[in-house]
mmCIF file of all heavy atoms in Angstrom:
data_model
loop_
_atom_site.group_PDB
_atom_site.id
_atom_site.type_symbol
_atom_site.label_atom_id
_atom_site.label_comp_id
_atom_site.label_asym_id
_atom_site.label_seq_id
_atom_site.Cartn_x
_atom_site.Cartn_y
_atom_site.Cartn_z
ATOM 1 N N VAL A 57 0.661 2.218 -0.837
ATOM 2 C CA VAL A 57 1.305 3.402 -0.968
ATOM 3 C C VAL A 57 0.850 4.329 0.123
ATOM 4 O O VAL A 57 -0.336 4.533 0.284
ATOM 5 C CB VAL A 57 1.185 4.040 -2.341
ATOM 6 C CG1 VAL A 57 1.941 5.319 -2.512
ATOM 7 C CG2 VAL A 57 1.700 3.105 -3.391
ATOM 8 N N GLU A 58 1.865 5.116 0.792
ATOM 9 C CA GLU A 58 1.478 6.005 1.759
ATOM 10 C C GLU A 58 2.317 7.264 1.578
ATOM 11 O O GLU A 58 3.406 7.125 1.086
ATOM 12 C CB GLU A 58 1.781 5.482 3.100
ATOM 13 C CG GLU A 58 1.180 4.129 3.505
ATOM 14 C CD GLU A 58 1.647 3.660 4.937
ATOM 15 O OE1 GLU A 58 1.008 4.189 5.934
ATOM 16 O OE2 GLU A 58 2.575 2.852 4.827
ATOM 17 N N LEU A 59 1.895 8.365 2.319
ATOM 18 C CA LEU A 59 2.743 9.621 2.405
ATOM 19 C C LEU A 59 3.127 9.544 3.929
ATOM 20 O O LEU A 59 2.224 9.474 4.816
ATOM 21 C CB LEU A 59 1.880 10.780 2.107
ATOM 22 C CG LEU A 59 1.555 11.215 0.605
ATOM 23 C CD1 LEU A 59 0.805 12.387 0.489
ATOM 24 C CD2 LEU A 59 2.832 11.314 -0.135
ATOM 25 N N VAL A 60 4.416 9.654 4.144
ATOM 26 C CA VAL A 60 4.922 9.798 5.453
ATOM 27 C C VAL A 60 5.793 10.899 5.647
ATOM 28 O O VAL A 60 6.360 11.370 4.714
ATOM 29 C CB VAL A 60 5.547 8.401 5.853
ATOM 30 C CG1 VAL A 60 4.702 7.174 5.742
ATOM 31 C CG2 VAL A 60 6.970 8.248 5.083
ATOM 32 N N GLU A 61 5.952 11.258 7.002
ATOM 33 C CA GLU A 61 6.859 12.400 7.293
ATOM 34 C C GLU A 61 8.320 11.805 7.071
ATOM 35 O O GLU A 61 8.470 10.745 7.307
ATOM 36 C CB GLU A 61 6.716 12.884 8.661
ATOM 37 C CG GLU A 61 7.482 13.977 9.158
ATOM 38 C CD GLU A 61 7.125 14.623 10.493
ATOM 39 O OE1 GLU A 61 6.157 14.188 11.122
ATOM 40 O OE2 GLU A 61 7.990 15.516 10.842
ATOM 41 N N PRO A 62 9.259 12.657 6.609
ATOM 42 C CA PRO A 62 10.594 12.032 6.511
ATOM 43 C C PRO A 62 11.044 11.367 7.812
ATOM 44 O O PRO A 62 10.778 11.970 8.817
ATOM 45 C CB PRO A 62 11.554 13.345 6.111
ATOM 46 C CG PRO A 62 10.429 14.129 5.450
ATOM 47 C CD PRO A 62 9.111 13.925 6.163
ATOM 48 N N THR A 63 11.734 10.233 7.706
ATOM 49 C CA THR A 63 12.149 9.740 8.992
ATOM 50 C C THR A 63 13.537 9.029 8.722
ATOM 51 O O THR A 63 13.854 8.628 7.713
ATOM 52 C CB THR A 63 11.164 8.517 9.336
ATOM 53 O OG1 THR A 63 11.641 7.712 10.438
ATOM 54 C CG2 THR A 63 10.845 7.599 8.208
ATOM 55 N N THR A 64 14.345 9.089 9.802
ATOM 56 C CA THR A 64 15.687 8.453 9.801
ATOM 57 C C THR A 64 15.618 6.931 9.508
ATOM 58 O O THR A 64 16.597 6.291 9.102
ATOM 59 C CB THR A 64 16.435 8.721 11.058
ATOM 60 O OG1 THR A 64 15.666 8.199 12.073
ATOM 61 C CG2 THR A 64 16.663 10.146 11.163
ATOM 62 N N HIS A 65 14.488 6.332 9.690
ATOM 63 C CA HIS A 65 14.408 4.838 9.560
ATOM 64 C C HIS A 65 14.434 4.373 8.088
ATOM 65 O O HIS A 65 14.664 3.238 7.760
ATOM 66 C CB HIS A 65 12.990 4.268 10.214
ATOM 67 C CG HIS A 65 12.918 4.567 11.618
ATOM 68 N ND1 HIS A 65 13.711 4.123 12.476
ATOM 69 C CD2 HIS A 65 11.962 5.428 12.227
ATOM 70 C CE1 HIS A 65 13.408 4.566 13.793
ATOM 71 N NE2 HIS A 65 12.492 5.321 13.629
ATOM 72 N N LEU A 66 14.224 5.422 7.190
ATOM 73 C CA LEU A 66 14.312 5.100 5.759
ATOM 74 C C LEU A 66 15.646 5.431 5.047
ATOM 75 O O LEU A 66 15.598 5.590 3.864
ATOM 76 C CB LEU A 66 13.154 5.793 4.983
ATOM 77 C CG LEU A 66 11.832 5.315 5.392
ATOM 78 C CD1 LEU A 66 10.786 6.200 4.863
ATOM 79 C CD2 LEU A 66 11.619 3.949 4.815
ATOM 80 N N HIS A 67 16.668 5.427 5.797
ATOM 81 C CA HIS A 67 18.005 5.811 5.225
ATOM 82 C C HIS A 67 18.417 4.861 4.115
ATOM 83 O O HIS A 67 18.701 5.266 3.084
ATOM 84 C CB HIS A 67 19.129 5.846 6.319
ATOM 85 C CG HIS A 67 20.484 6.346 5.821
ATOM 86 N ND1 HIS A 67 21.583 5.621 5.935
ATOM 87 C CD2 HIS A 67 20.777 7.266 5.026
ATOM 88 C CE1 HIS A 67 22.658 6.205 5.363
ATOM 89 N NE2 HIS A 67 22.166 7.286 4.826
ATOM 90 N N SER A 68 18.313 3.580 4.348
ATOM 91 C CA SER A 68 18.595 2.590 3.260
ATOM 92 C C SER A 68 17.777 2.789 2.031
ATOM 93 O O SER A 68 18.204 2.665 0.925
ATOM 94 C CB SER A 68 18.557 1.151 3.839
ATOM 95 O OG SER A 68 19.660 1.081 4.755
ATOM 96 N N ALA A 69 16.497 2.846 2.343
ATOM 97 C CA ALA A 69 15.527 3.087 1.228
ATOM 98 C C ALA A 69 15.738 4.436 0.433
ATOM 99 O O ALA A 69 15.633 4.439 -0.820
ATOM 100 C CB ALA A 69 14.053 3.252 1.733
ATOM 101 N N TRP A 70 16.134 5.536 1.114
ATOM 102 C CA TRP A 70 16.504 6.761 0.640
ATOM 103 C C TRP A 70 17.706 6.610 -0.394
ATOM 104 O O TRP A 70 17.668 7.066 -1.423
ATOM 105 C CB TRP A 70 16.659 7.847 1.576
ATOM 106 C CG TRP A 70 16.962 9.148 0.850
ATOM 107 C CD1 TRP A 70 16.012 10.083 0.519
ATOM 108 C CD2 TRP A 70 18.227 9.620 0.590
ATOM 109 N NE1 TRP A 70 16.785 11.106 -0.119
ATOM 110 C CE2 TRP A 70 18.094 10.955 -0.205
ATOM 111 C CE3 TRP A 70 19.495 9.170 0.768
ATOM 112 C CZ2 TRP A 70 19.112 11.703 -0.618
ATOM 113 C CZ3 TRP A 70 20.607 9.977 0.205
ATOM 114 C CH2 TRP A 70 20.300 11.153 -0.467
ATOM 115 N N ARG A 71 18.782 5.842 0.109
ATOM 116 C CA ARG A 71 19.947 5.642 -0.683
ATOM 117 C C ARG A 71 19.656 4.871 -1.887
ATOM 118 O O ARG A 71 20.142 5.223 -3.057
ATOM 119 C CB ARG A 71 20.992 4.973 0.199
ATOM 120 C CG ARG A 71 21.668 5.922 1.157
ATOM 121 C CD ARG A 71 22.577 5.261 1.959
ATOM 122 N NE ARG A 71 23.770 5.023 1.123
ATOM 123 C CZ ARG A 71 25.011 5.108 1.334
ATOM 124 N NH1 ARG A 71 25.277 5.426 2.594
ATOM 125 N NH2 ARG A 71 25.982 4.782 0.496
ATOM 126 N N ALA A 72 18.758 3.848 -1.958
ATOM 127 C CA ALA A 72 18.359 3.106 -3.022
ATOM 128 C C ALA A 72 17.696 4.025 -4.084
ATOM 129 O O ALA A 72 17.785 3.847 -5.161
ATOM 130 C CB ALA A 72 17.474 1.958 -2.632
ATOM 131 N N ALA A 73 16.810 4.858 -3.543
ATOM 132 C CA ALA A 73 16.031 5.787 -4.442
ATOM 133 C C ALA A 73 17.023 6.648 -5.064
ATOM 134 O O ALA A 73 16.872 6.968 -6.355
ATOM 135 C CB ALA A 73 14.955 6.526 -3.662
ATOM 136 N N ARG A 74 17.919 7.205 -4.312
ATOM 137 C CA ARG A 74 18.968 8.132 -4.872
ATOM 138 C C ARG A 74 19.780 7.426 -5.991
ATOM 139 O O ARG A 74 20.090 7.997 -7.005
ATOM 140 C CB ARG A 74 19.849 8.662 -3.797
ATOM 141 C CG ARG A 74 20.816 9.719 -4.305
ATOM 142 C CD ARG A 74 21.472 10.515 -3.236
ATOM 143 N NE ARG A 74 21.783 11.857 -3.661
ATOM 144 C CZ ARG A 74 22.592 12.617 -3.051
ATOM 145 N NH1 ARG A 74 23.206 12.221 -1.978
ATOM 146 N NH2 ARG A 74 22.900 13.706 -3.498
ATOM 147 N N ASP A 75 20.177 6.126 -5.633
ATOM 148 C CA ASP A 75 20.875 5.433 -6.723
ATOM 149 C C ASP A 75 20.094 5.237 -7.911
ATOM 150 O O ASP A 75 20.662 5.229 -9.067
ATOM 151 C CB ASP A 75 21.322 4.066 -6.138
ATOM 152 C CG ASP A 75 22.346 4.095 -5.068
ATOM 153 O OD1 ASP A 75 23.020 5.252 -4.914
ATOM 154 O OD2 ASP A 75 22.594 3.084 -4.319
ATOM 155 N N ASP A 76 18.770 5.060 -7.974
ATOM 156 C CA ASP A 76 17.887 4.900 -8.968
ATOM 157 C C ASP A 76 17.973 6.245 -9.936
ATOM 158 O O ASP A 76 17.895 6.159 -11.062
ATOM 159 C CB ASP A 76 16.462 4.682 -8.506
ATOM 160 C CG ASP A 76 15.513 4.160 -9.581
ATOM 161 O OD1 ASP A 76 15.883 4.044 -10.796
ATOM 162 O OD2 ASP A 76 14.339 4.109 -9.187
ATOM 163 N N TRP A 77 17.924 7.352 -9.278
ATOM 164 C CA TRP A 77 18.058 8.605 -9.945
ATOM 165 C C TRP A 77 19.418 8.843 -10.654
ATOM 166 O O TRP A 77 19.473 9.309 -11.738
ATOM 167 C CB TRP A 77 17.802 9.776 -8.984
ATOM 168 C CG TRP A 77 16.484 10.488 -9.052
ATOM 169 C CD1 TRP A 77 16.022 11.178 -10.023
ATOM 170 C CD2 TRP A 77 15.438 10.382 -8.067
ATOM 171 N NE1 TRP A 77 14.703 11.651 -9.702
ATOM 172 C CE2 TRP A 77 14.366 11.124 -8.467
ATOM 173 C CE3 TRP A 77 15.289 9.876 -6.793
ATOM 174 C CZ2 TRP A 77 13.214 11.347 -7.866
ATOM 175 C CZ3 TRP A 77 14.167 9.973 -6.080
ATOM 176 C CH2 TRP A 77 13.089 10.827 -6.591
ATOM 177 N N GLY A 78 20.343 8.312 -9.988
ATOM 178 C CA GLY A 78 21.807 8.461 -10.596
ATOM 179 C C GLY A 78 22.523 9.462 -9.848
ATOM 180 O O GLY A 78 21.965 10.622 -9.259
ATOM 181 N N PRO A 79 23.845 9.422 -9.865
ATOM 182 C CA PRO A 79 24.671 10.544 -9.052
ATOM 183 C C PRO A 79 24.454 11.910 -9.671
ATOM 184 O O PRO A 79 24.436 12.010 -10.951
ATOM 185 C CB PRO A 79 26.041 10.018 -9.325
ATOM 186 C CG PRO A 79 26.039 8.970 -10.456
ATOM 187 C CD PRO A 79 24.629 8.470 -10.561
ATOM 188 N N GLY A 80 24.445 12.857 -8.817
ATOM 189 C CA GLY A 80 24.343 14.230 -9.235
ATOM 190 C C GLY A 80 22.977 14.755 -9.741
ATOM 191 O O GLY A 80 22.781 15.881 -10.099
ATOM 192 N N THR A 81 21.981 13.831 -9.796
ATOM 193 C CA THR A 81 20.605 14.307 -10.170
ATOM 194 C C THR A 81 19.907 15.013 -9.121
ATOM 195 O O THR A 81 19.796 14.427 -7.976
ATOM 196 C CB THR A 81 19.852 13.066 -10.728
ATOM 197 O OG1 THR A 81 20.607 12.503 -11.728
ATOM 198 C CG2 THR A 81 18.539 13.398 -11.242
ATOM 199 N N HIS A 82 19.287 15.992 -9.340
ATOM 200 C CA HIS A 82 18.443 16.802 -8.352
ATOM 201 C C HIS A 82 17.113 16.018 -8.255
ATOM 202 O O HIS A 82 16.391 15.727 -9.319
ATOM 203 C CB HIS A 82 18.220 18.208 -8.750
ATOM 204 C CG HIS A 82 17.282 18.962 -7.865
ATOM 205 N ND1 HIS A 82 17.610 19.415 -6.650
ATOM 206 C CD2 HIS A 82 15.855 19.256 -8.011
ATOM 207 C CE1 HIS A 82 16.615 19.839 -6.083
ATOM 208 N NE2 HIS A 82 15.604 19.872 -6.821
ATOM 209 N N GLU A 83 16.774 15.739 -7.015
ATOM 210 C CA GLU A 83 15.493 14.997 -6.763
ATOM 211 C C GLU A 83 14.429 15.930 -6.221
ATOM 212 O O GLU A 83 14.527 16.257 -5.030
ATOM 213 C CB GLU A 83 15.731 13.823 -5.830
ATOM 214 C CG GLU A 83 16.675 12.811 -6.250
ATOM 215 C CD GLU A 83 17.972 12.936 -5.662
ATOM 216 O OE1 GLU A 83 18.258 13.778 -4.835
ATOM 217 O OE2 GLU A 83 19.004 12.334 -6.228
ATOM 218 N N ASP A 84 13.700 16.341 -7.133
ATOM 219 C CA ASP A 84 12.660 17.368 -6.635
ATOM 220 C C ASP A 84 11.656 16.782 -5.564
ATOM 221 O O ASP A 84 11.388 15.661 -5.538
ATOM 222 C CB ASP A 84 11.516 17.801 -7.941
ATOM 223 C CG ASP A 84 12.328 18.713 -8.806
ATOM 224 O OD1 ASP A 84 13.158 19.599 -8.381
ATOM 225 O OD2 ASP A 84 12.156 18.589 -10.048
ATOM 226 N N GLY A 85 11.291 17.755 -4.556
ATOM 227 C CA GLY A 85 10.366 17.301 -3.554
ATOM 228 C C GLY A 85 11.066 16.877 -2.255
ATOM 229 O O GLY A 85 10.517 16.867 -1.211
ATOM 230 N N PHE A 86 12.465 16.719 -2.224
ATOM 231 C CA PHE A 86 13.118 16.182 -1.096
ATOM 232 C C PHE A 86 13.650 17.248 -0.299
ATOM 233 O O PHE A 86 13.998 17.003 0.857
ATOM 234 C CB PHE A 86 14.223 15.183 -1.387
ATOM 235 C CG PHE A 86 13.830 13.765 -1.745
ATOM 236 C CD1 PHE A 86 13.463 13.384 -3.088
ATOM 237 C CD2 PHE A 86 13.545 12.911 -0.774
ATOM 238 C CE1 PHE A 86 13.055 12.013 -3.350
ATOM 239 C CE2 PHE A 86 13.032 11.566 -1.021
ATOM 240 C CZ PHE A 86 12.822 11.147 -2.272
ATOM 241 N N GLY A 87 13.791 18.428 -0.758
ATOM 242 C CA GLY A 87 14.257 19.512 0.149
ATOM 243 C C GLY A 87 15.836 19.348 0.305
ATOM 244 O O GLY A 87 16.389 19.873 1.345
ATOM 245 N N LEU A 88 16.501 18.703 -0.506
ATOM 246 C CA LEU A 88 17.970 18.456 -0.363
ATOM 247 C C LEU A 88 18.737 19.616 -0.845
ATOM 248 O O LEU A 88 18.362 20.117 -1.967
ATOM 249 C CB LEU A 88 18.239 17.150 -1.065
ATOM 250 C CG LEU A 88 19.623 16.670 -0.924
ATOM 251 C CD1 LEU A 88 19.744 16.102 0.476
ATOM 252 C CD2 LEU A 88 19.834 15.395 -1.860
ATOM 253 N N LEU A 89 19.656 20.143 -0.020
ATOM 254 C CA LEU A 89 20.500 21.290 -0.388
ATOM 255 C C LEU A 89 21.757 20.797 -0.697
ATOM 256 O O LEU A 89 22.266 19.660 -0.066
ATOM 257 C CB LEU A 89 20.486 22.254 0.829
ATOM 258 C CG LEU A 89 19.091 22.916 1.254
ATOM 259 C CD1 LEU A 89 19.413 23.801 2.555
ATOM 260 C CD2 LEU A 89 18.631 23.705 0.192
ATOM 261 N N PRO A 90 22.569 21.457 -1.393
ATOM 262 C CA PRO A 90 23.992 21.078 -1.669
ATOM 263 C C PRO A 90 24.826 20.925 -0.472
ATOM 264 O O PRO A 90 25.772 20.063 -0.518
ATOM 265 C CB PRO A 90 24.495 22.253 -2.589
ATOM 266 C CG PRO A 90 23.315 22.703 -3.211
ATOM 267 C CD PRO A 90 22.128 22.742 -2.324
#
Side-chain angles (χ1 to χ4, degrees):
V57 177
E58 302 176 83
L59 286 180
V60 301
E61 187 173 351
T63 175
T64 58
H65 301 296
L66 290 171
H67 185 233
S68 295
W70 182 85
R71 288 182 66 145
R74 187 168 205 199
D75 289 346
D76 192 1
W77 257 289
T81 303
H82 175 75
E83 300 96 10
D84 286 325
F86 279 97
L88 190 62
L89 301 175

